[in-house]
Amino acid sequence: MRIFISSVRKGLEEERAALRGLIRAVGHTPVLFEDFSAQTTPSRQACLDALDSADVCIFLLGPSYGHVFPETGQSATHDEWIAAKTAGKPRWVYRKLGVTFENAQQDFARTVEAYATGGFRDRFHNTAELMTKVVAKIKEVESGRSPLFFAPLTEPVSLRWSLDQAGIDGDTSRPLLELHVLPVGFPGYSARELDQVGTSLADRIRRAGVVKNSAALTSSNSREHAIVGISVAQPRFDAPQHGELVEVRLHKSGQVSLRATLPRDNMGSILDQDALSQQVTSLLRFSGALDLIHNERIVVAIGVSNPQMTQVDRFNPHQSRTRAYLSAYTRSFTLQTEPDESTSLAALDTGAEEVAGILSRALIKQHPAGF
């Protein structure tokens, strides 16, 4: 494995140096900014590129928050934490005890430790204790154990669907994929809490790094939900297009709902099992990166609006199809999965790909042309 080590150097110099040698000694590759800082790429971007190449990320929380980059308003470690969440990287967090945290670092640590998922968190007093715990965690990962697990629902859940609502551009005919994540056992937001969290929703979307900087965000709040619409380019009928996120909605119940266009070409919207699974994987990880859900158990479902205007076919991003058979679907039908079990919060992180595959297969089987 390539193991990325993220932390401020100040106050953690000994631990970083020790982990480099330890990781090499047990047969893996350590990745630290000290090893690639002398290059033309800006150090922040170099760190993010190195993180993207890693299989696992270790986050060490010491007393210092670190330099704040003006373009993000955050430290490098904070940027790396968000990037790792968005990419679904396994994250091991170790907090140093017996030191006084800066106020900004205390706030960051609170954010990291509140993220209850398949990620791993622990504490250490000294370098020797840290090395022992990291070796144990590496051996656990080598054994192949997964944090993702499922359990039957003990009672029905009530999901809020929006399949009959128009998209951001007011178009009621264009099919939209929607994904819903409901925390099990969450009591819901008060009106005050929903207003506070809803106000931060656009910033959370920007920080997750999925939406283009040029995309306009439009926010609206009510007593029942907070919504952020995301502008997308008008469909081009002369070239295939990947699906794009168009809306994020936070319900009073705590449910997070995402809506996105499906991959399409000049013959219409396409349900391709591979492309759908990849898109749902990205949406699940994006849901986790928003840092809105902390309950250990969640329910996940997907659906497609106006399914009569979709075709089960292969999506080729380089070439449009020459024929499609919408007229074959003369009867009305729906496409939406009805959850009968909950899963662990790792579904929004390291387990996203597995959950996306399950949901995508179930959805396409409901289509008259499914197979």
Side-chain angles (χ1 to χ4, degrees):
M1 295 183 293
R2 289 177 57 83
I3 302 178
F4 184 86
I5 301 173
S6 176
S7 78
V8 176
R9 287 190 66 180
K10 183 179 179 182
L12 293 168
E13 298 91 338
E14 180 180 311
E15 289 86 346
R16 291 178 64 88
L19 282 181
R20 178 197 279 117
L22 173 71
I23 291 169
R24 285 181 179 146
V26 296
H28 301 287
T29 303
V31 183
L32 300 87
F33 70 77
E34 295 95 321
D35 297 333
F36 50 80
S37 58
Q39 54 181 290
T40 57
T41 307
S43 59
R44 176 177 174 272
Q45 188 58 51
C47 288
L48 293 177
D49 290 344
L51 183 148
D52 189 57
S53 73
D55 302 297
V56 174
C57 301
I58 292 178
F59 287 86
L60 302 180
L61 301 182
S64 300
Y65 181 69
H67 171 73
V68 175
F69 288 96
E71 58 265 42
T72 65
Q74 300 175 155
S75 69
T77 305
H78 202 150
D79 285 346
E80 289 158 7
W81 170 257
I82 291 176
K85 281 203 303 182
T86 303
K89 302 283 185 182
R91 299 178 304 283
W92 309 342
V93 178
Y94 298 90
R95 176 172 180 156
K96 189 170 185 177
L97 300 176
V99 295
T100 301
F101 278 37
E102 297 174 352
N103 289 338
Q105 182 69 341
Q106 186 63 50
D107 291 340
F108 176 50
R110 191 176 297 114
T111 297
V112 168
E113 293 178 343
Y115 193 75
T117 183
F120 175 82
R121 298 181 301 283
D122 207 337
R123 301 180 180 190
F124 67 97
H125 291 88
N126 52 51
T127 303
E129 183 179 6
L130 174 64
M131 293 177 69
T132 299
K133 292 187 173 186
V134 170
V135 167
K137 188 61 183 174
I138 290 175
K139 291 185 179 298
E140 177 186 322
V141 170
E142 289 174 340
S143 71
R145 285 186 283 172
S146 170
L148 186 67
F149 60 95
F150 300 88
L153 289 170
T154 57
E155 57 185 37
V157 296
S158 178
L159 290 176
R160 299 292 184 91
W161 295 85
S162 51
L163 293 171
D164 58 346
Q165 297 182 14
I168 186 174
D169 54 5
D171 187 355
T172 59
S173 64
R174 182 170 56 167
L176 292 176
L177 169 68
E178 57 184 68
L179 178 143
H180 305 286
V181 182
L182 177 68
V184 176
F186 181 68
Y189 293 106
S190 67
R192 176 188 58 81
E193 290 171 329
L194 183 61
D195 182 65
Q196 286 182 340
V197 179
T199 301
S200 72
L201 190 54
D203 287 339
R204 291 170 184 264
I205 293 169
R206 291 286 190 200
R207 290 198 302 266
V210 172
V211 175
K212 296 177 181 178
N213 291 333
S214 59
L217 304 185
T218 306
S219 300
S220 63
N221 292 352
S222 72
R223 292 184 60 85
E224 295 301 320
H225 46 60
I227 302 175
V228 174
I230 302 161
S231 66
V232 296
Q234 287 298 315
R236 290 180 53 188
F237 293 98
D238 60 341
Q241 291 179 287
H242 291 278
E244 294 184 87
L245 182 68
V246 298
E247 183 186 281
V248 177
R249 185 177 302 203
L250 175 64
H251 297 266
K252 185 179 177 67
S253 64
Q255 175 181 321
V256 175
S257 300
L258 310 179
R259 303 177 82 191
T261 60
L262 287 166
R264 61 175 294 124
D265 60 15
N266 57 15
M267 303 303 296
S269 298
I270 303 171
L271 284 171
D272 176 334
Q273 183 162 306
D274 291 339
L276 179 62
S277 182
Q278 292 172 12
Q279 187 174 14
V280 173
T281 297
S282 297
L283 293 177
L284 286 169
R285 289 174 176 165
F286 173 72
S287 299
L290 291 175
D291 201 20
L292 292 167
I293 297 177
H294 301 139
N295 289 47
E296 291 286 358
R297 305 299 300 169
I298 59 173
V299 168
V300 184
I302 60 173
V304 173
S305 65
N306 202 13
Q308 288 79 12
M309 298 300 292
T310 64
Q311 309 110 45
V312 176
D313 210 336
R314 301 297 297 177
F315 172 65
N316 185 341
H318 307 293
Q319 182 177 352
S320 290
R321 297 165 298 162
T322 57
R323 63 178 65 184
Y325 299 99
L326 286 175
S327 60
Y329 313 129
T330 56
R331 65 178 178 83
S332 176
F333 64 96
T334 59
L335 289 181
Q336 71 184 70
T337 62
E338 293 295 344
D340 60 1
E341 60 184 358
S342 66
T343 186
S344 50
L345 197 55
L348 307 186
D349 193 343
T350 54
E353 187 173 356
E354 180 179 346
V355 172
I358 294 170
L359 292 173
S360 299
R361 288 191 295 271
L363 190 78
I364 289 180
K365 282 182 179 179
Q366 296 177 8
H367 200 286
F371 50 86

